[in-house]
């Protein structure tokens, strides 16, 4: 079994495709002994010592080449046995280790078969760096998919980043390269040195790495992701039993690096964020947080949307265990966690996925299918089984290892359409001549099916901005299978409407009502997301027309309309207190605005009370997607710019009437039809003094008489404050009891008391703010109280506004590509 000169040179020059066939221990062909070869560039001498079996021989190896290739033979053993290499380096230092080339492959044929067909759902337990104990020896198995590489080596601080030391072996025709290295532990930095299909040598980071160096460095770090002790069993149990379509869902969207910072330029860690974030989210009443992408990304200004480490929480804020701690703490506090997931594209960095083995491995070769022109990124090849496996397993990974409650899938439209943002001639039709990306559609359906079946209760959410049909319908009905879809049309139209000066709004009322024409086609979330407060769009407050009192009144009206309208809710951080400037990812939110007067604090209080009302009133969430969960009372009063509608649950036990006055003109005796007679309590009034409003209201309630109006059997006269939204519900037995009155005898079946409902949204509150000095709040009420203090002073500065001029006709508006959601 002599080593030929060609074989020797292939080892020294690191061109050998099958190093395990030449290195390690092998029986001699004639059966008279065993031979050991080792390639250790820094070794001065090497001895073979039996690892544990008594009677086995120890013998020295002889140097074959100056670059550290050694060989030795013994005739005292005829079969392979466990052995150590005792290595003495040039400085006389001695180390002892099991030979990496003495171990069998750590992946079996079934693993490779399932991976090749795209169905190894836990491939993250097989590829990458896995802490293992094999044959009683602790170490790490490394495996990577690079089918067109000429050679792959594991390099890192464990071998001085020398590609000669740990050359990996290919496993059949799978394209997977593997090696087990004993003695390596958690914290070791590593990469793969790849001689690609063209003979070019470069270093690639691990596509399946669990942890990475902080940018701009990019080495992967060996890490075990199963160490953390979870204590969220109760949360996961109730999640499995929860129907998210019939449950409240109020999402606070967060960018971890800029929500709060310790000092200028320094972002806090996952653990440091946990307590203040939980305290704030609970106080504000949100049910979930949604983190903008937490997967590792090298380019911070991408906000995480150009992912290079799909299996690793970014190290900017701590270790994987630190992120698990944050999720666990949120769950223990009763707060769900959604993360942004980006399977649509990846960056072109030459040390990451792009041209991984010298060929278009994860992407398409043809840029007409494989490159995003807008973002400068590459598109995954959804027709390749191993790539689909990489992405599908990644979705399951975040649910499995990090217990996330939802995956919001970014840029779904760019996946569905082959001609997305392309001109004629810049895209390739599918096999039937169409523009649909059939492979991506299959991938999305399989992703949704696997996520929902393997992790019941986990939500999948599509950011999809086109009229693609049945995004939130099951695949077996021809749908894509998402739980929810962002209603980009509602967002676009609503913000467009609120950008109009109130004097012109009567011509644009259809922008607010159009969303109900397609509402029941999908399970919608109403988003006011980070995308709407960047790139010159201004903040939500900055979009509002008029002077300060009008801008803040408009903002409260906008947020109230979002919370009262059917569909689940999402609000980007800063919007809840009226951040003035656009969001800046490099700076924390401007919490000091809460010290600047009642307006910002008023918006914050309003959002808190919106969430309390939302959580306490099943009419606002139980039947979001039922045909009888929402009814317009009057959507046609465009001359006065007033809208009114009814929200109710499917059993009609809970009802809310919502009225919005969208101009600065008060309406003092405005009649609105109601479904039942009796007293209707004013639960919400965005003009209350505690919110920075003028404190105009309805003395806490109105009484409906049997006077038909708006196709309703009853009606009442309302006082509508300027630029306001109000919510009323029929008075319940619990309300009267709380007021000290004897319960009234109701006609017909009594409406059951809702123990989760809030009887009032007034009371003394203490604000929590992530700012170091929390601001106290005084008493607030949605009912009229004498004007006083700072809020009154600001309210009194409101100018008198003449009534809007009368006019005829209804603005018909225009459906845009973004709001034309009806298939």
């Amino acid at each position: 079994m002599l080593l030929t000169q060609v074989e020797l040179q292939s080892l020294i020059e690191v061109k050998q495709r099958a190093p395990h066939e030449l290195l390690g221990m092998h029986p001699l062909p004639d059966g008279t002994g065993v031979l050991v070869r080792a390639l250790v560039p820094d070794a001065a001498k090497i001895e073979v010592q039996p690892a544990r079996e008594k009677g086995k021989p120890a013998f020295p190896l002889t140097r074959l080449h100056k670059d550290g290739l050694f060989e030795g033979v013994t005739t005292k053993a005829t079969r392979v046995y466990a052995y150590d290499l005792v290595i003495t380096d040039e400085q006389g230092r001695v180390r002892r280790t099991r030979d990496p080339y003495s171990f069998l492959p750590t992946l079996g044929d079934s693993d490779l078969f399932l991976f090749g067909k795209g169905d190894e759902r836990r491939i993250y337990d097989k590829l990458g760096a896995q802490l293992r104990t094999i044959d009683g020896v602790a170490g790490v198995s490394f495996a990577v998919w690079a089918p067109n590489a000429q050679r792959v080596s594991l390099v890192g601080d464990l071998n001085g980043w020398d590609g000669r030391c740990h050359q990996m072996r290919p496993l059949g025709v799978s394209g997977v390269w593997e090696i087990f290295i004993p003695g390596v532990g958690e914290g070791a930095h590593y990469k793969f040195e790849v001689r690609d299909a063209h003979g070019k040598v470069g270093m690639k980071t691990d596509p399946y790495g669990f942890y990475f160096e902080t940018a701009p460095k990019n080495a992967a770090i060996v890490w075990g992701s199963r160490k953390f002790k979870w204590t969220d069993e109760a949360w996961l149990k109730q999640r499995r039993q929860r129907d998210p379509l019939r449950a409240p869902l109020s999402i606070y969207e967060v960018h971890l690096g800029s929500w709060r910072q310790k000092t200028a330029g320094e972002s806090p860690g996952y653990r440091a964020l946990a307590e203040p974030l939980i305290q704030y989210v609970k106080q504000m009443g949100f049910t979930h947080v949604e983190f903008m992408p937490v997967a590792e990304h090298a380019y911070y200004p991408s906000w995480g949307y150009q992912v290079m480490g799909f299996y690793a929480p970014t190290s900017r804020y701590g270790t994987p265990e630190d992120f698990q701690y944050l999720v666990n703490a949120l769950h223990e506090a009763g707060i769900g966690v959604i993360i942004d997931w980006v399977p649509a594209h990846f960056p072109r960095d030459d040390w990451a996925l792009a041209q991984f083995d010298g060929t278009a491995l994860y992407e398409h070769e043809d840029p007409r299918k494989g490159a995003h022109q807008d973002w400068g990124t590459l598109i995954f090849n959804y027709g390749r089984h191993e790539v689909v496996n990489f992405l599908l397993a990644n979705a399951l990974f975040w649910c499995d290892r990090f217990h996330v409650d939802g995956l919001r899938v970014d840029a779904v439209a760019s996946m569905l359409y082959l001609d997305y943002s392309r001109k004629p001639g810049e895209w390739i039709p599918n096999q039937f001549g169409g523009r649909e990306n059939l492979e991506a559609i299959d991938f999305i359906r399989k992703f949704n099916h696997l996520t929902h079946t393997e992790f019941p209760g986990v939500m999948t959410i599509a950011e999809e901005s086109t009229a693609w049909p049945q995004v939130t319908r099951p695949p077996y009905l021809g749908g894509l299978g998402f739980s929810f879809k962002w209603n980009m049309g509602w967002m676009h139209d609503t913000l467009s409407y609120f950008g109009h000066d109130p004097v012109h709004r009567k011509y644009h009322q259809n922008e607010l009502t159009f969303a109900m024409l397609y509402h029941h086609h999908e399970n919608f979330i109403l988003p006011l997301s980070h995308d709407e407060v960047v790139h010159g769009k201004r903040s939500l407050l900055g979009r509002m027309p008029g002077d300060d009192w009008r801008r803040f009144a408009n903002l409260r009206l906008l947020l109230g309309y979002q919370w009262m309208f059917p569909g689940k809710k999402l609000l980007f951080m800063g919007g809840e207190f009226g951040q003035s400037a656009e969001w800046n990812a490099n700076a924390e939110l401007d919490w000091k605005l809460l010290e600047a007067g009642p307006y910002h604090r008023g918006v914050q209080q309003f959002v808190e009370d919106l969430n309390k009302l939302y959580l306490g009133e099943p009419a606002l969430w139980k039947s979001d997607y039922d045909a009888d969960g929402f009814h317009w009372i009057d959507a046609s009063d465009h001359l006065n710019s007033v809208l009114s509608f009814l929200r109710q649950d499917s059993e009609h036990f809970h009802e809310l009437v919502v009225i919005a006055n969208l101009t600065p003109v008060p309406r003092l005796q405005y009649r609105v039809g109601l479904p039942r007679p009796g007293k209707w309590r004013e639960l919400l009034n965005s003009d209350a003094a505690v919110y920075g409003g003028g404190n105009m209201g309805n003395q806490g309630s109105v009484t409906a008489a049997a006077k038909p109006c708006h196709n309703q059997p009853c009606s009442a006269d309302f006082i509508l404050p300027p630029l306001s939204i109000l919510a009323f519900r029929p008075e319940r037995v619990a309300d009267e009891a709380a007021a000290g009155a004897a319960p009234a005898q109701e006609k017909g079946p009594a409406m059951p008391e809702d123990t989760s409902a809030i009887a009032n949204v007034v009371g003394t509150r203490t604000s929590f703010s992530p700012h170091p000095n929390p601001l106290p709040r005084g008493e607030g009420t949605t009912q009229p109280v004498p004007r006083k203090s700072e809020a009154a002073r600001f309210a009194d500065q409101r100018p008198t506004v003449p009534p809007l001029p009368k006019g005829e006709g209804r603005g018909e508006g225009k459906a845009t590509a973004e709001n034309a959601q009806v298939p």
Side-chain angles (χ1 to χ4, degrees):
M1 191 176 175
L2 295 175
L3 197 64
T4 68
Q5 186 63 31
V6 171
E7 290 172 332
L8 186 150
Q9 288 300 122
S10 71
L11 288 172
I12 297 301
E13 296 174 4
V14 201
K15 295 181 179 180
Q16 174 58 239
R17 278 189 60 87
H20 285 70
E21 294 180 5
L22 303 179
L23 301 176
M25 180 178 285
H26 303 272
L28 295 175
D30 58 6
T32 59
V34 294
L35 172 148
V36 173
R37 287 196 197 95
L39 179 57
V40 186
D42 69 337
K45 66 176 183 177
I46 302 177
E47 293 182 352
V48 172
Q49 293 284 349
R52 60 175 181 269
E53 299 180 56
K54 295 181 179 179
K56 296 298 181 181
F59 58 97
L61 303 184
T62 302
R63 184 188 294 271
L64 293 181
H65 191 278
K66 63 182 179 62
D67 285 344
L69 182 61
F70 290 78
E71 179 183 272
V73 175
T74 179
T75 58
K76 296 181 179 178
T78 58
R79 301 179 64 181
V80 172
Y81 58 91
Y83 66 95
D84 292 339
L85 296 177
V86 180
I87 303 166
T88 304
D89 65 19
E90 298 291 348
Q91 288 73 41
R93 294 170 298 194
V94 179
R95 64 182 187 273
R96 180 168 179 158
T97 179
R98 286 286 292 271
D99 188 351
Y101 294 93
S102 67
F103 294 92
L104 295 173
T106 56
L107 282 81
D109 291 341
S110 61
D111 301 322
L112 301 173
F113 171 75
L114 290 173
F115 178 57
K117 69 189 294 283
D119 202 27
E120 176 47 84
R121 302 175 187 178
R122 299 297 186 273
I123 192 64
Y124 51 85
D125 286 333
K126 312 294 173 60
L127 299 187
Q130 306 292 336
L131 291 165
R132 302 187 190 280
T133 300
I134 298 177
D135 195 24
V137 179
V140 176
S141 65
F142 297 91
V144 64
W145 179 58
N148 301 302
Q150 296 179 11
R151 182 267 304 171
V152 181
S153 294
L154 189 285
V155 295
D157 49 21
L158 70 161
N159 59 21
W161 303 90
D162 190 334
R164 296 172 295 176
C165 297
H166 295 109
Q167 301 173 46
M168 304 172 72
R169 64 179 150 205
L171 298 180
V173 295
S174 67
V176 175
W177 300 73
E178 181 269 355
I179 191 171
F180 175 76
I181 303 179
V184 180
E186 192 170 80
H189 293 57
Y190 70 96
K191 291 184 182 182
F192 297 109
E193 186 181 88
V194 179
R195 182 181 292 275
D196 68 20
H198 310 291
K200 180 181 177 181
V201 178
M203 290 190 184
K204 292 283 189 177
T205 198
D206 186 359
Y208 291 85
F210 293 146
Y211 187 35
F212 288 87
E213 292 180 296
T214 303
K217 297 180 179 180
N218 52 53
I221 302 174
V222 174
W223 207 262
S225 60
R226 294 187 180 276
K227 300 179 298 179
F228 185 77
K229 303 299 181 184
W230 292 91
T231 57
D232 62 348
E233 294 84 1
W235 171 269
L236 297 181
K237 181 179 179 181
Q238 67 85 25
R239 186 184 74 183
R240 288 191 291 269
Q241 301 166 350
R242 181 176 180 267
D243 178 2
L245 298 181
R246 296 189 176 275
L249 183 61
S250 176
I251 304 167
Y252 185 54
E253 188 186 17
V254 175
H255 178 260
L256 283 167
S258 58
W259 182 72
R260 190 183 78 172
Q261 297 180 342
K262 292 178 181 177
T263 57
E266 180 185 1
S267 297
Y270 297 120
R271 291 179 184 262
L273 279 169
E275 183 178 352
L277 183 61
I278 288 168
Q279 188 179 350
Y280 187 67
V281 170
K282 284 185 70 68
Q283 176 195 302
M284 295 301 296
F286 291 98
T287 65
H288 290 67
V289 295
E290 178 178 318
F291 294 130
M292 291 171 67
V294 296
E296 192 59 83
H297 51 285
Y299 186 54
Y300 185 74
S302 76
W303 309 331
Y305 291 100
Q306 294 194 12
V307 180
M308 47 75 60
F310 282 79
Y311 285 82
T314 177
S315 59
R316 288 176 175 85
Y317 315 124
T319 67
E321 281 75 28
D322 293 334
F323 183 61
Q324 289 170 324
Y325 174 91
L326 174 59
V327 175
N328 190 68
L330 286 161
H331 283 174
E332 287 191 322
I335 301 166
V337 178
I338 301 166
I339 63 170
D340 280 9
W341 187 55
V342 191
H345 61 128
F346 60 93
R348 296 173 178 266
D349 303 88
D350 58 6
W351 41 264
L353 295 181
Q355 293 281 312
F356 193 83
D357 61 1
T359 67
L361 191 60
Y362 286 88
E363 67 272 37
H364 288 275
E365 184 71 41
D366 193 322
R368 292 176 294 175
K369 294 184 70 175
H372 268 306
Q373 298 173 325
D374 292 346
W375 307 323
T377 54
L378 299 174
I379 301 171
F380 282 106
N381 183 350
Y382 305 106
R384 192 159 196 166
H385 293 166
E386 296 89 346
V387 174
V388 168
N389 204 152
F390 172 79
L391 293 171
L392 291 175
N394 185 245
L396 301 179
F397 168 82
W398 290 101
C399 302
D400 176 19
R401 297 291 177 86
F402 295 97
H403 292 198
V404 300
D405 305 294
L407 295 166
R408 177 267 195 184
V409 184
D410 181 64
V412 173
S414 74
M415 302 167 67
L416 294 174
Y417 297 100
L418 294 167
D419 64 344
Y420 180 84
S421 193
R422 295 177 188 274
K423 298 175 183 178
E426 294 179 349
W427 59 282
I428 303 175
N430 63 33
Q431 65 194 71
F432 303 108
R435 59 198 284 254
E436 299 80 11
N437 190 332
L438 303 180
E439 291 88 356
I441 294 166
D442 288 342
F443 160 73
I444 289 170
R445 287 172 171 163
K446 190 169 184 180
F447 150 72
N448 280 308
H449 172 74
L450 287 177
T451 304
H452 290 143
T453 53
E454 297 211 9
F455 296 93
V458 169
M459 301 172 287
T460 60
I461 303 166
E463 186 210 19
E464 205 283 314
S465 57
T466 73
W468 189 279
Q470 300 195 99
V471 172
T472 57
R473 298 299 181 258
Y476 65 81
L477 295 178
L480 295 182
F482 286 97
S483 310
F484 297 103
K485 171 180 172 174
W486 274 19
N487 193 338
M488 310 292 278
W490 174 90
M491 175 274 298
H492 176 271
D493 291 348
T494 302
L495 290 177
S496 174
Y497 178 87
F498 276 90
H500 297 304
D501 188 282
V503 74
H504 302 302
R505 286 179 178 174
K506 62 182 177 181
Y507 303 112
H508 300 277
Q509 189 148 313
N510 66 300
E511 292 182 2
L512 289 188
T513 60
F514 182 68
M516 282 310 301
L517 293 179
Y518 58 84
H519 171 74
H520 294 292
H521 292 174
E522 302 286 0
N523 304 326
F524 282 119
I525 289 175
L526 308 179
L528 292 175
S529 73
H530 67 276
D531 280 328
E532 307 317 311
V533 293
V534 290
H535 300 322
K537 296 179 183 178
R538 297 167 293 172
S539 65
L540 292 181
L541 180 65
R543 289 170 173 260
M544 302 297 111
D547 57 11
D548 272 356
W549 83 262
R550 288 183 178 88
R551 290 167 61 229
F552 281 92
N554 269 303
L555 180 57
R556 297 193 300 270
L557 178 52
L558 165 65
L559 296 172
Y561 189 71
Q562 178 187 17
W563 255 255
M564 298 298 107
F565 201 79
K568 310 308 181 184
K569 325 299 175 188
L570 179 140
L571 181 64
F572 183 59
M573 63 183 198
E576 80 279 8
F577 63 81
Q579 171 124 341
S580 301
E582 279 192 353
W583 169 55
N584 178 3
N586 297 312
E588 72 175 14
L589 297 181
D590 197 357
W591 298 106
K592 290 185 178 180
L593 290 173
L594 294 170
E595 302 172 355
Y599 284 153
H600 293 282
R601 286 181 290 165
V603 173
Q604 186 187 51
Q605 184 64 68
F606 184 61
V607 172
E608 180 181 337
D609 288 349
L610 279 175
N611 274 324
K612 289 180 179 177
L613 178 63
Y614 175 70
L615 294 175
E617 291 294 334
L620 293 175
W621 45 260
K622 196 171 184 180
S623 299
D624 274 321
Y625 311 109
D626 294 343
D628 60 350
F630 173 94
H631 297 286
W632 289 114
I633 295 174
D634 184 15
S636 62
D637 188 4
H638 55 277
L639 292 178
N640 290 313
S641 296
V642 174
L643 289 173
S644 53
F645 54 86
L646 175 71
R647 296 297 311 275
Q648 59 189 13
D649 65 11
S650 54
E651 294 86 9
H652 299 185
F653 286 146
H654 303 90
E655 297 172 315
L656 259 72
V657 165
V658 181
I659 309 171
N661 179 10
L662 297 148
T663 71
V665 181
R667 311 293 178 187
L668 300 182
Q669 287 186 311
Y670 191 92
R671 182 160 289 271
V672 177
L674 297 171
R676 65 177 69 233
K679 185 178 287 187
W680 286 71
R681 300 191 64 231
E682 185 180 86
L683 294 184
L684 182 74
N685 183 340
S686 66
D687 194 49
V690 72
Y691 307 138
N695 224 37
M696 182 180 290
N698 292 271
Q699 301 298 322
S701 65
V702 299
T703 300
K707 184 176 180 180
C709 182
H710 296 139
N711 293 318
Q712 300 293 326
C714 305
S715 62
D717 285 335
F718 292 83
I719 295 173
L720 306 184
L723 293 172
S724 68
I725 188 163
L726 301 93
F728 297 81
R729 75 167 181 216
E731 189 159 74
R732 302 172 180 166
V733 173
D735 299 333
E736 297 184 3
Q745 186 68 32
E746 294 190 355
K747 296 179 180 180
M751 290 188 297
E753 178 182 348
D754 180 12
T755 57
S756 68
I758 48 174
N760 224 321
V761 292
V762 303
T764 302
R765 305 175 177 90
T766 301
S767 166
F768 166 77
S769 164
H771 192 268
N773 300 312
L775 299 171
R777 288 205 188 108
E779 294 189 355
T781 176
T782 58
Q783 304 176 19
V785 296
R787 293 185 177 181
K788 56 185 179 180
S789 73
E790 195 174 22
R793 180 167 57 82
F794 272 72
D796 289 339
Q797 293 175 1
R798 184 179 59 190
T800 302
V801 182
L804 294 176
K806 293 182 180 180
E808 293 183 2
R810 179 178 179 182
E812 295 300 326
K814 181 172 68 174
T816 67
E818 290 186 77
N819 64 27
Q821 303 283 329
V822 184

